[in-house]
């Protein structure tokens, strides 16, 4: 057995002895609310048994909280929080924060004014941390983590760099699954409607499509770029039909775009999946109610929000979490 008296006991060892998660142990040690009596007592016993001494700096950060965190989305669309994807992210974030005394602030931060407001908010410590989502290209928000003295967690990886702390879905692997499903169904003229190519999810899903067709020995040249919106999916599908009338399948990088594309195919007299098979991405609730129901790639959207919030709480508590990639899976329905 290791002699713990000869070195500093870690928070991980306290959590293991108490039989609780690291974050639960941290909340007990920092006198945070919403921890069960049984867990609190188990952690307190472990602290005494192991002789644990909290890190003074980490504890100071954890106990001098403002009481709020920010979820900032790089978008100039005021309806973005009504998007089913972002709405589910907010639900996930809130489900974690409601077990704490932290308030959630939502902020759109694409305009110069929005970016300045967010930076001032964080520089003046009016928030304990921030979660950033939907970074575009050389988005100045992406550099925020190096400019402010509060924890920053990214939802998804920006295109141009990998941040230290982030939660993402396996976008590339999910896109491969989608395209492989279409290949396995005997489709050979497989097009794609991509997401925004200045976003990490858009580029990763496009790469997954390309990889799957390369392995299958099929061309990956039937491509139109979209923007993740329903109207963008409609416009992209119209362009695909005009340019590549022989297509027999489309991998579409979001369910929202797929819903718009299905409408265009119906108006064009193309049956789904008879003439054109369709696979989307995200598995939003409305994907189950399209005509026909949409085959899609499921990613745990609410879990994305929950894990972002948990990672941020971990950072606020002075811990050092590792990046997290959430799995994706094929959800077969009638459209492919």
């Amino acid at each position: 057995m290791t002699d713990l008296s000869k070195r500093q006991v870690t928070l991980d060892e306290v959590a293991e002895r108490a039989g609780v998660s690291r974050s639960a142990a941290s909340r007990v040690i920092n006198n945070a609310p919403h921890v069960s009596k049984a867990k609190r007592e188990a952690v307190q016993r472990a602290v005494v048994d192991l002789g644990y001494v909290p890190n003074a700096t980490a504890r100071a950060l954890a106990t001098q909280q403002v009481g709020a965190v920010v979820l900032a989305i790089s978008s100039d669309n005021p309806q973005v929080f009504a998007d089913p994807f972002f709405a589910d992210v907010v639900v996930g974030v809130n489900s974690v924060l409601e077990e704490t005394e932290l308030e959630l602030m939502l902020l759109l931060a694409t305009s110069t004014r929005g970016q300045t407001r967010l930076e001032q908010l964080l520089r003046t410590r009016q928030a304990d941390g921030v979660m950033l989502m939907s970074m575009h290209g050389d988005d100045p928000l992406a550099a925020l983590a190096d400019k402010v003295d509060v924890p920053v967690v990214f939802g998804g990886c920006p295109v141009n760099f990998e941040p230290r702390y982030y939660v993402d879905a396996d976008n590339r692997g999910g896109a491969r699954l989608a395209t492989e499903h279409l290949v396995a169904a005997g489709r050979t003229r497989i097009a794609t409607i991509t997401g925004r190519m200045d976003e990490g999810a858009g580029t990763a899903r496009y790469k997954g499509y390309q990889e799957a067709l390369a392995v299958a020995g099929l061309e990956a040249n039937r491509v139109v770029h979209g923007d993740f919106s329903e109207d963008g999916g409609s416009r992209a599908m119209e362009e695909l039909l005009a340019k590549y009338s022989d297509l027999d399948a489309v991998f579409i990088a979001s369910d929202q775009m797929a819903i718009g594309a299905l409408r265009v195919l119906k108006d064009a007299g193309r049956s789904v999946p008879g003439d054109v098979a369709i696979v989307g991405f995200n598995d939003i609730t409305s994907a189950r109610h399209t005509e026909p129901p949409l085959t899609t790639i499921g990613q745990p959207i609410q879990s994305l929000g929950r894990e972002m919030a948990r990672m941020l709480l971990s950072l606020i508590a002075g811990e050092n979490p590792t990046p997290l990639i959430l799995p994706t899976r094929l959800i077969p329905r009638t459209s492919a």
Side-chain angles (χ1 to χ4, degrees):
M1 184 175 180
T2 303
D3 184 358
L4 298 176
S5 65
K6 294 182 180 180
R7 62 175 177 80
Q8 184 174 350
V9 177
T10 68
L11 182 60
D12 286 322
E13 289 167 337
V14 172
E16 183 178 359
R17 174 68 68 92
V20 301
S21 68
R22 194 173 193 270
S23 60
S26 176
R27 289 199 298 273
V28 172
I29 290 166
N30 291 304
N31 296 316
H34 304 292
V35 181
S36 71
K37 181 180 178 182
K39 287 184 178 180
R40 189 175 297 278
E41 291 176 348
V43 171
Q44 290 169 342
R45 283 196 302 270
V47 167
V48 173
D49 291 346
L50 298 176
Y52 175 73
V53 179
N55 177 280
T57 302
R59 184 158 191 171
L61 286 171
T63 55
Q64 294 176 14
Q65 295 178 8
V66 175
V69 295
V70 178
L71 173 61
I73 296 179
S74 184
S75 173
D76 54 8
N77 179 5
Q79 299 299 315
V80 69
F81 289 113
D83 181 304
F85 176 85
F86 288 112
D88 272 351
V89 169
V90 172
V91 169
V93 168
N94 190 64
S95 70
V96 172
L97 295 184
E98 68 183 3
E99 298 179 4
T100 74
E101 293 186 343
L102 292 169
E103 298 292 335
L104 175 62
M105 295 186 284
L106 303 178
L107 183 66
L108 297 181
T110 293
S111 68
T112 301
R113 181 180 178 184
Q115 293 166 2
T116 301
R117 180 186 175 200
L118 177 60
E119 189 168 335
Q120 288 178 342
L121 192 73
L122 300 178
R123 283 188 182 279
T124 56
R125 292 302 298 253
Q126 296 179 56
D128 297 305
V130 61
M131 294 162 281
L132 296 176
M133 295 196 72
S134 196
M135 299 294 99
H136 306 293
D138 294 323
D139 197 318
L141 286 182
L144 195 64
D146 296 325
K147 297 168 65 177
V148 296
D149 189 28
V150 298
V152 177
V153 171
F154 286 78
C157 274
V159 172
N160 297 326
F161 80 104
E162 182 175 331
R164 185 172 181 183
Y165 303 110
Y166 68 89
V167 181
D168 203 356
D170 184 10
N171 291 293
R172 194 165 177 169
R176 282 198 304 269
L177 281 175
T179 310
E180 288 166 356
H181 179 72
L182 293 169
V183 171
R187 308 294 170 142
T188 58
R189 300 179 299 279
I190 303 172
T192 188
I193 297 173
T194 76
R196 291 184 57 136
M197 296 303 287
D198 60 351
E199 289 187 22
T203 58
R205 293 175 194 179
Y206 181 42
K207 287 176 183 176
Y209 158 83
Q210 291 176 308
E211 290 169 354
L213 290 189
V215 170
L218 297 174
E219 292 182 338
N221 58 357
R222 297 173 176 85
V223 179
V224 170
H225 299 303
D227 61 4
F228 287 128
S229 73
E230 185 172 331
D231 287 344
S234 296
R235 290 190 296 270
M237 192 70 243
E238 290 172 351
E239 186 176 344
L240 272 180
L241 290 176
K243 288 182 175 179
Y244 312 106
S245 61
D246 64 337
L247 61 84
D248 61 6
V250 189
F251 163 57
I252 305 177
S254 79
D255 292 346
Q256 284 287 92
M257 291 195 297
I259 290 170
L262 285 171
R263 184 170 58 247
V264 170
L265 286 168
K266 181 178 180 180
D267 290 346
R270 301 285 186 102
S271 66
V272 177
D275 297 326
V276 182
I278 298 291
V279 180
F281 202 114
N282 284 336
D283 193 33
I284 61 176
T285 300
S286 52
R288 304 164 203 168
H289 307 296
T290 56
E291 182 55 45
L294 184 63
T295 296
T296 188
I297 297 298
Q299 65 164 317
I301 304 173
Q302 289 190 19
S303 291
L304 180 69
R306 285 194 294 270
E307 295 303 333
M308 287 168 57
R310 287 171 181 154
M311 185 173 290
L312 189 62
L313 291 179
S314 178
L315 288 167
I316 291 171
E319 302 171 11
N320 186 31
T322 57
L324 181 62
I325 303 293
L326 302 175
T328 51
R329 64 190 180 96
L330 178 73
I331 300 175
R333 296 194 180 103
T334 316
S335 70

PDB file of all heavy atoms in Angstrom, residues 16 31 38 47 85 125 174 195 198 207 223 239 248 258 269 294 314 318 333:
ATOM      1  N   GLU A  16     -11.707   8.620  -4.868  1.00  0.00           N
ATOM      2  CA  GLU A  16     -11.695   7.152  -4.937  1.00  0.00           C
ATOM      3  C   GLU A  16     -12.007   6.536  -3.580  1.00  0.00           C
ATOM      4  O   GLU A  16     -12.786   5.591  -3.485  1.00  0.00           O
ATOM      5  CB  GLU A  16     -10.330   6.679  -5.435  1.00  0.00           C
ATOM      6  CG  GLU A  16     -10.241   5.171  -5.618  1.00  0.00           C
ATOM      7  CD  GLU A  16      -8.906   4.720  -6.162  1.00  0.00           C
ATOM      8  OE1 GLU A  16      -8.046   5.600  -6.418  1.00  0.00           O
ATOM      9  OE2 GLU A  16      -8.715   3.508  -6.326  1.00  0.00           O
ATOM     10  N   ASN A  31     -17.349  23.338  -0.057  1.00  0.00           N
ATOM     11  CA  ASN A  31     -18.619  23.694   0.583  1.00  0.00           C
ATOM     12  C   ASN A  31     -19.682  24.145  -0.403  1.00  0.00           C
ATOM     13  O   ASN A  31     -20.483  25.044  -0.112  1.00  0.00           O
ATOM     14  CB  ASN A  31     -18.393  24.792   1.635  1.00  0.00           C
ATOM     15  CG  ASN A  31     -17.523  24.318   2.778  1.00  0.00           C
ATOM     16  OD1 ASN A  31     -17.705  23.212   3.284  1.00  0.00           O
ATOM     17  ND2 ASN A  31     -16.558  25.137   3.180  1.00  0.00           N
ATOM     18  N   ALA A  38     -25.035  11.720   2.212  1.00  0.00           N
ATOM     19  CA  ALA A  38     -24.187  10.526   2.217  1.00  0.00           C
ATOM     20  C   ALA A  38     -22.857  10.788   1.532  1.00  0.00           C
ATOM     21  O   ALA A  38     -21.788  10.395   2.037  1.00  0.00           O
ATOM     22  CB  ALA A  38     -24.919   9.367   1.539  1.00  0.00           C
ATOM     23  N   VAL A  47     -11.250  12.679   3.587  1.00  0.00           N
ATOM     24  CA  VAL A  47     -10.322  13.780   3.829  1.00  0.00           C
ATOM     25  C   VAL A  47      -9.553  13.556   5.129  1.00  0.00           C
ATOM     26  O   VAL A  47      -8.324  13.716   5.187  1.00  0.00           O
ATOM     27  CB  VAL A  47     -11.083  15.128   3.866  1.00  0.00           C
ATOM     28  CG1 VAL A  47     -10.200  16.233   4.439  1.00  0.00           C
ATOM     29  CG2 VAL A  47     -11.559  15.511   2.473  1.00  0.00           C
ATOM     30  N   PHE A  85     -30.964  22.355 -32.205  1.00  0.00           N
ATOM     31  CA  PHE A  85     -29.651  21.927 -31.716  1.00  0.00           C
ATOM     32  C   PHE A  85     -29.235  22.761 -30.510  1.00  0.00           C
ATOM     33  O   PHE A  85     -28.914  22.226 -29.439  1.00  0.00           O
ATOM     34  CB  PHE A  85     -28.610  22.048 -32.831  1.00  0.00           C
ATOM     35  CG  PHE A  85     -27.211  21.709 -32.390  1.00  0.00           C
ATOM     36  CD1 PHE A  85     -26.776  20.392 -32.383  1.00  0.00           C
ATOM     37  CD2 PHE A  85     -26.342  22.702 -31.955  1.00  0.00           C
ATOM     38  CE1 PHE A  85     -25.489  20.077 -31.951  1.00  0.00           C
ATOM     39  CE2 PHE A  85     -25.060  22.401 -31.526  1.00  0.00           C
ATOM     40  CZ  PHE A  85     -24.639  21.076 -31.527  1.00  0.00           C
ATOM     41  N   ARG A 125     -14.525  40.215 -14.367  1.00  0.00           N
ATOM     42  CA  ARG A 125     -14.940  39.101 -13.503  1.00  0.00           C
ATOM     43  C   ARG A 125     -16.408  39.188 -13.103  1.00  0.00           C
ATOM     44  O   ARG A 125     -16.789  38.923 -11.973  1.00  0.00           O
ATOM     45  CB  ARG A 125     -14.061  39.043 -12.248  1.00  0.00           C
ATOM     46  CG  ARG A 125     -12.609  38.646 -12.478  1.00  0.00           C
ATOM     47  CD  ARG A 125     -12.482  37.275 -13.149  1.00  0.00           C
ATOM     48  NE  ARG A 125     -13.044  36.212 -12.341  1.00  0.00           N
ATOM     49  CZ  ARG A 125     -12.322  35.296 -11.688  1.00  0.00           C
ATOM     50  NH1 ARG A 125     -11.004  35.342 -11.751  1.00  0.00           N
ATOM     51  NH2 ARG A 125     -12.892  34.350 -10.986  1.00  0.00           N
ATOM     52  N   GLY A 174     -19.059  10.072 -37.565  1.00  0.00           N
ATOM     53  CA  GLY A 174     -20.485  10.002 -37.857  1.00  0.00           C
ATOM     54  C   GLY A 174     -20.777  10.178 -39.335  1.00  0.00           C
ATOM     55  O   GLY A 174     -21.636   9.496 -39.907  1.00  0.00           O
ATOM     56  N   GLY A 195     -22.099  21.413 -44.092  1.00  0.00           N
ATOM     57  CA  GLY A 195     -22.384  22.535 -43.212  1.00  0.00           C
ATOM     58  C   GLY A 195     -21.461  23.683 -43.558  1.00  0.00           C
ATOM     59  O   GLY A 195     -20.781  23.679 -44.594  1.00  0.00           O
ATOM     60  N   ASP A 198     -16.427  27.061 -42.466  1.00  0.00           N
ATOM     61  CA  ASP A 198     -15.563  27.790 -41.533  1.00  0.00           C
ATOM     62  C   ASP A 198     -15.847  27.374 -40.086  1.00  0.00           C
ATOM     63  O   ASP A 198     -15.405  28.026 -39.143  1.00  0.00           O
ATOM     64  CB  ASP A 198     -15.729  29.309 -41.693  1.00  0.00           C
ATOM     65  CG  ASP A 198     -17.154  29.785 -41.425  1.00  0.00           C
ATOM     66  OD1 ASP A 198     -18.057  28.928 -41.282  1.00  0.00           O
ATOM     67  OD2 ASP A 198     -17.364  31.008 -41.353  1.00  0.00           O
ATOM     68  N   LYS A 207     -15.099  15.833 -44.419  1.00  0.00           N
ATOM     69  CA  LYS A 207     -13.978  14.895 -44.510  1.00  0.00           C
ATOM     70  C   LYS A 207     -14.443  13.453 -44.323  1.00  0.00           C
ATOM     71  O   LYS A 207     -13.964  12.541 -45.003  1.00  0.00           O
ATOM     72  CB  LYS A 207     -12.917  15.250 -43.462  1.00  0.00           C
ATOM     73  CG  LYS A 207     -12.132  16.503 -43.785  1.00  0.00           C
ATOM     74  CD  LYS A 207     -11.160  16.852 -42.661  1.00  0.00           C
ATOM     75  CE  LYS A 207     -10.415  18.150 -42.961  1.00  0.00           C
ATOM     76  NZ  LYS A 207      -9.530  18.543 -41.826  1.00  0.00           N
ATOM     77  N   VAL A 223     -20.950  17.997 -54.678  1.00  0.00           N
ATOM     78  CA  VAL A 223     -20.877  18.736 -53.412  1.00  0.00           C
ATOM     79  C   VAL A 223     -21.480  20.130 -53.565  1.00  0.00           C
ATOM     80  O   VAL A 223     -21.166  20.850 -54.521  1.00  0.00           O
ATOM     81  CB  VAL A 223     -19.408  18.875 -52.938  1.00  0.00           C
ATOM     82  CG1 VAL A 223     -19.338  19.660 -51.624  1.00  0.00           C
ATOM     83  CG2 VAL A 223     -18.756  17.508 -52.796  1.00  0.00           C
ATOM     84  N   GLU A 239     -29.749  23.421 -55.908  1.00  0.00           N
ATOM     85  CA  GLU A 239     -28.506  23.528 -56.668  1.00  0.00           C
ATOM     86  C   GLU A 239     -27.963  22.151 -57.032  1.00  0.00           C
ATOM     87  O   GLU A 239     -27.481  21.941 -58.163  1.00  0.00           O
ATOM     88  CB  GLU A 239     -27.463  24.298 -55.842  1.00  0.00           C
ATOM     89  CG  GLU A 239     -26.173  24.582 -56.604  1.00  0.00           C
ATOM     90  CD  GLU A 239     -25.190  25.433 -55.812  1.00  0.00           C
ATOM     91  OE1 GLU A 239     -25.607  26.058 -54.812  1.00  0.00           O
ATOM     92  OE2 GLU A 239     -23.994  25.447 -56.186  1.00  0.00           O
ATOM     93  N   ASP A 248     -28.249   9.748 -56.664  1.00  0.00           N
ATOM     94  CA  ASP A 248     -29.203   8.780 -56.107  1.00  0.00           C
ATOM     95  C   ASP A 248     -29.167   8.734 -54.580  1.00  0.00           C
ATOM     96  O   ASP A 248     -29.863   7.916 -53.963  1.00  0.00           O
ATOM     97  CB  ASP A 248     -28.985   7.373 -56.687  1.00  0.00           C
ATOM     98  CG  ASP A 248     -27.608   6.793 -56.393  1.00  0.00           C
ATOM     99  OD1 ASP A 248     -26.830   7.426 -55.631  1.00  0.00           O
ATOM    100  OD2 ASP A 248     -27.295   5.706 -56.924  1.00  0.00           O
ATOM    101  N   ALA A 258     -31.615  18.862 -43.945  1.00  0.00           N
ATOM    102  CA  ALA A 258     -32.282  17.718 -44.572  1.00  0.00           C
ATOM    103  C   ALA A 258     -33.783  17.943 -44.687  1.00  0.00           C
ATOM    104  O   ALA A 258     -34.414  17.534 -45.677  1.00  0.00           O
ATOM    105  CB  ALA A 258     -31.991  16.446 -43.778  1.00  0.00           C
ATOM    106  N   GLY A 269     -40.648  16.000 -57.583  1.00  0.00           N
ATOM    107  CA  GLY A 269     -41.162  14.700 -57.991  1.00  0.00           C
ATOM    108  C   GLY A 269     -40.184  13.554 -57.768  1.00  0.00           C
ATOM    109  O   GLY A 269     -40.354  12.478 -58.349  1.00  0.00           O
ATOM    110  N   LEU A 294     -36.601  10.503 -41.072  1.00  0.00           N
ATOM    111  CA  LEU A 294     -35.242  10.740 -41.534  1.00  0.00           C
ATOM    112  C   LEU A 294     -34.223   9.797 -40.892  1.00  0.00           C
ATOM    113  O   LEU A 294     -34.060   9.774 -39.669  1.00  0.00           O
ATOM    114  CB  LEU A 294     -34.844  12.187 -41.228  1.00  0.00           C
ATOM    115  CG  LEU A 294     -33.493  12.677 -41.720  1.00  0.00           C
ATOM    116  CD1 LEU A 294     -33.421  12.644 -43.245  1.00  0.00           C
ATOM    117  CD2 LEU A 294     -33.227  14.090 -41.202  1.00  0.00           C
ATOM    118  N   SER A 314     -15.519  21.980 -13.329  1.00  0.00           N
ATOM    119  CA  SER A 314     -14.254  21.381 -12.927  1.00  0.00           C
ATOM    120  C   SER A 314     -13.127  22.406 -12.958  1.00  0.00           C
ATOM    121  O   SER A 314     -12.304  22.490 -12.039  1.00  0.00           O
ATOM    122  CB  SER A 314     -13.933  20.199 -13.846  1.00  0.00           C
ATOM    123  OG  SER A 314     -12.685  19.614 -13.525  1.00  0.00           O
ATOM    124  N   GLY A 318     -10.714  24.468  -9.871  1.00  0.00           N
ATOM    125  CA  GLY A 318      -9.265  24.361  -9.854  1.00  0.00           C
ATOM    126  C   GLY A 318      -8.722  23.054 -10.382  1.00  0.00           C
ATOM    127  O   GLY A 318      -7.539  22.749 -10.204  1.00  0.00           O
ATOM    128  N   ARG A 333     -33.862   5.009 -40.357  1.00  0.00           N
ATOM    129  CA  ARG A 333     -35.319   5.137 -40.467  1.00  0.00           C
ATOM    130  C   ARG A 333     -35.682   4.887 -41.933  1.00  0.00           C
ATOM    131  O   ARG A 333     -35.030   4.062 -42.577  1.00  0.00           O
ATOM    132  CB  ARG A 333     -35.775   6.517 -39.967  1.00  0.00           C
ATOM    133  CG  ARG A 333     -35.483   6.735 -38.463  1.00  0.00           C
ATOM    134  CD  ARG A 333     -36.227   7.942 -37.891  1.00  0.00           C
ATOM    135  NE  ARG A 333     -35.931   8.105 -36.477  1.00  0.00           N
ATOM    136  CZ  ARG A 333     -35.089   9.023 -35.987  1.00  0.00           C
ATOM    137  NH1 ARG A 333     -34.465   9.871 -36.813  1.00  0.00           N
ATOM    138  NH2 ARG A 333     -34.868   9.101 -34.690  1.00  0.00           N
TER     139      ARG A 333
END
